[in-house]
């Protein structure tokens, strides 16, 4: 299961993330040409058998106000898009870094009592339900205190997913490593110089610092 750590409610979100299998999309577009479709479907089936997947991650920004909220309002024409191209990588890696893979959890003697409780809860219920129930129990005398409390509780749940994801399963670390390798390969093909190291670091320590 893929878990995106986005805090906005979907109806008010200024951005959305779309994750899908690119292989299926390519094959589906060839349905009209039956012979080509059959060949591609067979090829993708072989790739899947050997563990190769082409997952596409897209960040969709909703409207001009959203661009402004994300400090990308200066990207308003083709020239500025080219000039600020690297900032799109900053935005993409910053949000991809919020994706967690809810893999099987491996219990450890180093687990605290709270971490073990969270792990047991994650095994019984889906991530969204665990978050909702945990945050609903948070109380504070001030709104700032409540916000801080909820942030800590959310962080604690995500830390368990990150720290104790079973490496025999596909987990958050292996996901980020795959993204980093793909990013490095892709940036090598770009005609302009791209600080790929900064983008890879952004996957592990997200920082929304625009480069230009």
């Amino acid at each position: 299961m893929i878990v995106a750590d986005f805090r906005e409610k979907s109806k008010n979100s200024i951005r959305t993330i779309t994750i899908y299998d690119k292989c299926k999309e390519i094959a589906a577009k060839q349905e009209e040409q039956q012979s080509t479709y059959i060949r591609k479907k067979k090829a993708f089936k072989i790739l899947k058998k050997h563990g190769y997947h082409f997952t596409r991650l897209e960040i969709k920004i909703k409207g001009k106000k959203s661009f402004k909220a994300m400090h990308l309002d200066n990207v308003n024409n083709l020239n500025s898009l080219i000039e600020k191209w690297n900032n799109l990588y900053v935005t993409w890696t910053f949000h991809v870094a919020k994706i967690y893979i809810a893999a099987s959890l491996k219990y450890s003697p180093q687990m605290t009592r709270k971490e073990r409780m969270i792990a047991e809860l994650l095994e019984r219920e889906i991530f969204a339900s665990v978050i909702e129930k945990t945050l609903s129990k948070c109380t504070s005398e001030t709104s700032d205190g409540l916000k801080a409390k909820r942030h800590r509780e959310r962080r604690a749940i995500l830390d368990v997913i990150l720290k104790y994801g079973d490496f025999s399963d596909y987990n958050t670390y292996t996901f980020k490593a795959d993204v980093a390798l793909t990013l490095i390969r892709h940036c090598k093909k770009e005609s302009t110089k791209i600080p790929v190291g900064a983008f890879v670091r952004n996957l592990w320590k997200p920082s929304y610092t625009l480069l230009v």
Side-chain angles (χ1 to χ4, degrees), residues 41-117:
K41 190 174 181 180
K42 185 178 180 180
F44 292 140
K45 188 176 181 180
I46 293 170
L47 288 171
K48 184 178 180 181
K49 181 181 177 181
H50 290 279
Y52 292 96
H53 301 275
F54 295 88
T55 304
R56 191 176 182 92
L57 304 171
E58 295 179 356
I59 305 297
K60 296 182 180 180
I61 305 172
K62 298 181 179 180
K64 292 182 179 180
K65 289 184 179 179
S66 300
F67 269 79
K68 187 173 182 180
M70 297 173 69
H71 308 291
L72 291 172
D73 47 317
N74 54 0
V75 182
N76 49 28
N77 55 46
L78 186 57
N79 287 335
S80 61
L81 178 62
I82 295 171
E83 184 183 346
K84 314 290 184 183
W85 185 252
N86 285 351
N87 285 337
L88 298 182
Y89 280 95
V90 173
T91 302
W92 189 84
T93 53
F94 176 78
H95 290 295
V96 169
K98 295 182 177 184
I99 297 174
Y100 288 74
I101 307 297
S104 302
L105 297 175
K106 191 170 184 178
Y107 287 83
S108 166
Q110 283 73 44
M111 271 184 168
T112 65
R113 183 181 177 184
K114 182 174 182 177
E115 287 175 335
R116 183 171 288 275
M117 287 174 63

Side-chain angles (χ1 to χ4, degrees), residues 9-43:
K9 292 181 180 178
S10 58
K11 63 179 181 180
N12 298 321
S13 176
I14 62 174
R15 68 192 72 79
T16 58
I17 186 166
T18 302
I19 305 173
Y20 60 93
D21 186 342
K22 187 65 178 176
C23 292
K24 289 184 178 180
E25 184 198 44
I26 294 172
K29 287 182 178 179
Q30 301 296 330
E31 287 186 10
E32 293 181 2
Q33 302 172 13
Q34 192 64 22
S35 59
T36 305
Y37 169 67
I38 292 172
R39 286 199 305 273
K40 285 195 174 185
K41 190 174 181 180
K42 185 178 180 180

